[in-house]
């Protein structure tokens, strides 16, 4: 284990610049989630269910847009792709804070469809800027900055809503993200490997042929999709489902323990565990596979259901949090290592959609389990599904290893969770 890797990463100008800029691109996501909820139940005088519908619509829109905008990144480059969000988002978010509920719902859907693909862009710049031996550390560094953003975002959202009101807070936090996107457009970092003299908005793309030179079908699955990548996306979906189950289960548990006032602190400790896990995972010399990380995440999630008081619950939740970010990082690293760099934007978009859909499916499912057997239900359901699907990934990968090799273009490795 060596933390020197992170120091080496920080010395790379493109890495340092995109990590800081990425933080400002992402903070508006968790901040606006809090602000919009407070706005719907406050000034708009609607129910929490209606506030949840806004979040669901946004999640679905972002799940649709991520692969689409990721593909545009691959074909058109960064600057041309960002022109769409930069044309739509300022209009949508400048109007949204001042309208009624139904127009807000429509504007949030439009904004979600044109959300800046920050996760894809940051990770592509990171992977392009580092050597093969630094890939996992780079993705872990990105996960650390993401956790920092999702820890700071809700705090900023609550403070903004308290001091300026929800409408002005929504406007300001979204314009912070838009300003960061403008800076990104001006800096225009390269997102693919190649000649440094070629700007990212001049990356050639041929939709008719694959990287191996074989024709690409305009219909059917994309050329990069194979059983190994599909399994890794399933693992990503499952990890996201576990995380939303833990999220809802934590709220229910603190209410059951009659310690609701401590909820923010407990959630912050959980996020801290995820941050520390990403930090250590990236510093390891040998990295466990996605299936192993999913087993550890699932097992510690089930273990949390055996907590007997707020202290034991927080300790077990911290332990489970330790495997949150590393599980998603392991899956993403395995996926990006085994697809051509020319389609990384689209692939990362699908990875983001798997996370979003996992949350969308996990929320009502975990809620049903909590209603049925109490707060423990969310942890047992999420962790149990994680263990089952991790076992399925591991068994299927072993059985299909040879066919998976054969399905890939020459020179590519089979993207198995064991890698």
């Amino acid at each position: 284990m060596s933390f020197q890797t992170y120091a080496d990463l920080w010395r790379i100008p493109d890495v340092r610049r995109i990590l800081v800029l990425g933080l400002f691109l992402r903070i508006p996501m968790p901040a606006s989630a809090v602000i919009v909820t407070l706005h719907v139940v406050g000034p708009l005088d609607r129910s929490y269910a209606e506030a949840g519908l806004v979040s669901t619509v946004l999640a679905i829109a972002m799940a649709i847009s991520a692969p689409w905008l990721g593909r545009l990144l691959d074909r058109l480059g960064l600057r041309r792709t960002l022109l769409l969000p930069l044309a739509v988002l300022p209009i949508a978010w400048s109007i949204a804070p001042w309208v009624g509920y139904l127009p807000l719902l429509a504007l949030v859907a439009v904004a979600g469809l044109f959300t800046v693909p920050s996760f894809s862009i940051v990770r592509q710049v990171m992977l392009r800027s580092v050597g093969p031996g630094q890939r996992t550390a780079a993705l872990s560094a990105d996960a650390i900055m993401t956790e920092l953003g999702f820890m700071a975002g809700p705090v900023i959202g609550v403070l903004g809503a308290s001091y300026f009101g929800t409408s002005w807070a929504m406007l300001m936090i979204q314009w912070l993200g838009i300003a960061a996107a403008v800076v990104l457009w001006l800096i225009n970092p390269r997102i693919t490997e190649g000649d440094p003299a070629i700007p990212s908005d001049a990356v050639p793309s041929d939709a008719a042929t694959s990287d191996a030179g074989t024709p690409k079908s305009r219909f059917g699955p994309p050329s990069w999709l194979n059983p190994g990548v599909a399994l890794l996306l399933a693992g990503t979906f499952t990890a996201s489902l576990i995380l939303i189950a833990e999220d809802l289960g934590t709220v229910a548990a603190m209410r059951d323990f009659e310690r609701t006032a401590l909820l923010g602190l407990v959630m912050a400790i959980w996020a801290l565990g995820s941050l520390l896990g990403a930090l250590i995972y990236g510093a390891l010399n040998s990295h466990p596979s996605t299936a192993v990380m999913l087993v550890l995440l699932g097992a510690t999630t089930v273990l949390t259901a055996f907590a007997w008081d707020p202290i034991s619950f927080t300790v077990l939740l911290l332990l489970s949090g330790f495997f949150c970010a590393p599980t998603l990082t392991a899956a993403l690293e395995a996926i990006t290592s085994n697809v051509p760099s020319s389609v990384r934007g689209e692939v990362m978009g699908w990875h983001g959609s798997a996370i979003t859909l996992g949350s969308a499916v996990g929320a009502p499912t975990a809620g049903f389990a909590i209603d049925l057997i109490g707060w423990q239900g969310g942890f047992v359901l999420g962790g149990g599904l994680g263990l089952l699907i991790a076992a399925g990934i591991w068994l299927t990968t072993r059985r299909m290893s040879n066919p998976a090799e054969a399905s890939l273009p020459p020179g590519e490795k089979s993207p198995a969770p064991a890698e």
Side-chain angles (χ1 to χ4, degrees):
M1 182 186 299
S2 174
F3 292 100
Q4 180 62 35
T5 305
Y6 292 112
D8 295 337
L9 287 174
W10 193 251
R11 293 191 187 99
I12 302 173
D14 280 355
V15 170
R16 184 170 61 248
R17 192 162 40 233
I18 200 64
L19 281 176
V20 174
L21 187 56
L23 183 63
F24 286 97
L25 284 167
R26 291 164 179 173
I27 282 178
M29 297 180 192
S32 61
V34 174
I35 295 170
V36 168
T37 298
L38 294 173
H39 183 70
V40 172
V41 301
L44 297 186
D45 195 25
R46 297 285 182 144
S47 67
Y48 279 98
E50 289 171 303
L53 179 61
V54 176
S55 298
T56 301
V57 168
L58 179 61
I60 293 172
M62 290 176 66
I64 294 171
S65 72
W68 168 58
L69 290 175
R71 192 172 188 185
L72 288 184
L73 281 173
D74 296 330
R75 291 186 172 189
L76 304 179
L78 188 145
R79 275 192 167 169
R80 294 175 185 173
T81 301
L82 284 185
L83 287 176
L84 281 171
L86 289 176
V88 174
L89 294 180
I91 299 173
W93 286 118
S94 293
I95 299 173
W98 317 106
V99 298
Y101 178 74
L102 290 179
L104 173 66
L105 204 62
L107 287 167
V108 164
V110 172
L113 288 173
F114 292 92
T115 296
V116 174
S118 57
F119 287 93
S120 293
I121 292 171
V122 172
R123 289 163 180 169
Q124 283 185 272
V125 174
M126 295 281 286
L127 293 176
R128 189 269 304 163
S129 303
V130 303
Q134 296 175 303
R135 291 169 57 90
T136 303
L139 292 174
S140 295
D142 175 64
I144 292 168
M145 297 299 283
T146 300
E147 292 294 341
L148 288 175
F150 277 77
M151 289 170 69
V155 176
I156 294 172
V158 171
L159 290 175
S162 300
Y163 282 99
F164 303 105
T166 56
S167 295
W168 282 106
M170 190 190 309
L171 182 70
M172 288 188 290
I173 198 66
Q174 288 299 335
W175 269 95
L176 172 65
I178 292 168
V182 171
V183 173
L184 180 65
W185 186 87
L186 292 172
I187 294 174
N188 191 27
R190 289 192 297 115
I191 57 177
T192 57
E193 292 88 349
D195 188 344
I198 300 176
S200 62
D201 60 354
V203 174
S205 175
D206 186 353
T209 59
S210 71
D211 289 82
T214 57
K216 240 190 223 182
S217 173
R218 293 183 178 270
F219 305 98
S223 60
W224 52 263
L225 183 62
N226 56 65
V229 171
L231 284 175
L232 289 165
L233 290 174
T236 301
F237 171 89
T238 306
S240 178
L241 186 149
I242 293 174
L243 298 186
I244 194 64
E246 287 190 292
D247 191 303
L248 296 177
T250 299
V251 175
M254 297 311 291
R255 290 186 63 186
D256 192 65
F257 290 136
E258 298 182 352
R259 293 292 187 273
T260 307
L262 298 175
L263 178 59
L265 176 62
V266 172
M267 298 289 277
I269 292 173
W270 182 34
L272 177 63
S274 182
L275 187 153
L276 293 174
L279 182 67
I280 294 175
Y281 185 80
L284 292 174
N285 296 323
S286 177
H287 302 95
S289 68
T290 306
V292 170
M293 297 306 302
L294 197 54
V295 167
L296 292 171
L297 177 60
T300 52
T301 299
V302 172
L303 184 63
T304 307
F306 293 92
W308 60 90
D309 62 14
I311 295 177
S312 62
F313 178 84
T314 303
V315 171
L316 291 172
L317 189 66
L318 174 66
L319 176 63
S320 180
F322 193 78
F323 301 105
C324 293
T327 302
L328 294 172
T329 298
L332 181 59
E333 201 281 331
I335 292 171
T336 56
S337 294
N338 293 280
V339 298
S341 62
S342 59
V343 296
R344 261 189 205 147
E346 183 180 357
V347 174
M348 288 185 182
W350 282 107
H351 178 267
S353 294
I355 293 175
T356 304
L357 293 174
S359 297
V361 172
T365 306
F368 174 78
I370 292 170
D371 290 338
L372 189 64
I373 64 174
W375 67 264
Q376 295 91 342
F379 292 90
V380 172
L381 173 76
L385 284 175
L387 291 172
L388 286 174
I389 294 178
I393 290 174
W394 187 82
L395 290 173
T396 305
T397 301
R398 292 298 178 271
R399 292 179 179 177
M400 72 170 198
S401 57
N402 290 334
E405 293 280 354
S407 68
L408 290 171
E412 297 284 349
K413 297 185 299 181
S414 176
E419 294 186 7

